[in-house]
Amino acid sequence: MLPRLSLTELRARLAARECSAVEVTRACLDQIQRREGQLHAFLHVDAADALAQAEAADTALRNGVTPAEKPLLGLPVALKDNIAVRGQPLTCGSRILEGFVSPYDATVVEKLRAAGAVLLGRLNLDEFAMGSSTETSAFGPTRNPWDLERIPGGSSGGSAAAVAAGEVPAALGSDTGGSVRQPAAHCGVVGLKPTYGRVSRYGLVAYASSLDQIGCLTRTVRDAAVLLGVLAGHDPRDSTSVPEPVPDYAARLDGAVKGLRLGLPREYRIAGLHPEVEAAVNAAVETLRALGVETVEISLPHTPYALAAYYLIAPAEASANLARFDGVRYGLRVEGADPIELYERTRGRGFGPEVKRRILLGTFALSAGYYDAYYLRAQKVRTLIRQDFLRAFEQVDAIVTPTTPGPAFRLGEKLSDPLQMYLEDIFTLSCNLAGLCGISVPCGFTRTPRLPIGLQLLGPPFGEPTLLRLAHAYEQATPWHREVPPLESPAGG
Ligand code: GLN
């Protein structure tokens, strides 16, 4: 079945003329048609536009264009709805951007187009990527393909669910505190957050600019390596992107992992960790040891302060970034007697409760008299957290943790308790604070209900080649990435 194949497998079939790009895109569109009633992973699909792109890819294939020239030729990729595609809606899951159409392509979109990808549609997310469940989307939640009563994770929940459900072989998301890795863990797919500065943020709607990074959700680590190779690189339009050369990630996947050193951070053995998650991660560490990886206990002493620092810095940056949505420049406009009333009404009606909470938190943390006590102190803690990691990476090549403290929770379970929701990010957000790279790979399932568990591997800045090699070796030694959600199995129809 075409929609279940990886990018790499589809590319081989296209090259061998066993199927056409139009057939691949049509198979994805059919699957979307079958599944969307239950899942709601997509906010927008333009089938005619996707098929036109696929036809152009078929022409290029017939003309002998090679994968070396266009590594994603004819392969469908869908985008989180906070990444700009010219001429398409860009909602960020918010009413405030209702009706807004992007006038330009994000740099990653230009790169996907240049690589020959077929852009398949826009994926659901928590409003402005603020959340861990996709429930704060103004357009309704996405459901987890493994259990429709549960959340797919967030904020890139639409991206993870669509890949897991066979609607598209790969998707882009954004990760500010875990939004690629956490939904990947909950949906049983691979989620890669590149090093800060590795991928251009131009055309990604900013949530917290010093933490945001575009990442990818795929079915295999190899696909993540292929996609990162397309997305990575310096961009003069994003001054925080870094002019580091882009290695051939896919070509470097197969090297040995024997002798690599893996750090097990003492501070991540928290009370409240779900016992089956703990057991699955311990088993994964054993698997890695059997592959010749050496394990070392390490300490990241400032870990307990990461959550508090993140929830000051991210809202502070968000409160500044979201000031631009004023009813004048973008999307929704609710008229008022004067400009102030217009702003108030537009923002009052346009933003949902979680976004308002973040704006209030952030504005407070930045206000005169509180700046030193909150924002400045959080920035100092951030530096200490980064130093913890850089010190640890002098000893080890990668660090291993669970991706999430537990499996996917029920819809509605944490929505009214923001702190519980924030605790979902406890293992993922330090990576963003420290500017590292990280990946989540499937590492098992809970028993009843049967829900995916994610293993997180963290690497030093620009350590993606080794990180991907390690994740790939683990994946190849285990069966988890081949599992298919029940609704996709032949019996599930
Ligand atoms: N859940 C975290 C938050 O709400 C992370 C979100 C993200 O990475 N975009 O901030």
Side-chain angles (χ1 to χ4, degrees), residues 37-58:
Q38 291 170 307
L39 284 181
H40 192 233
F42 280 87
L43 291 178
H44 180 74
V45 179
D46 186 341
D49 177 52
L51 287 166
Q53 295 174 62
E55 272 166 27
D58 278 331

Side-chain angles (χ1 to χ4, degrees), residues 129-132 155 175-179 207 310-311 358 425:
M130 295 173 190
S132 306
S155 62
D175 191 314
T176 304
S179 277
Y207 160 16
Y310 174 87
Y311 277 100
R358 304 281 179 111
D425 307 319

Side-chain angles (χ1 to χ4, degrees), residues 147 150 274 276 407 445-451:
D147 180 342
R150 290 178 189 261
H274 191 285
E276 287 180 281
F445 289 85
T446 57
R447 262 186 294 279
T448 36
R450 195 161 188 276
L451 300 168

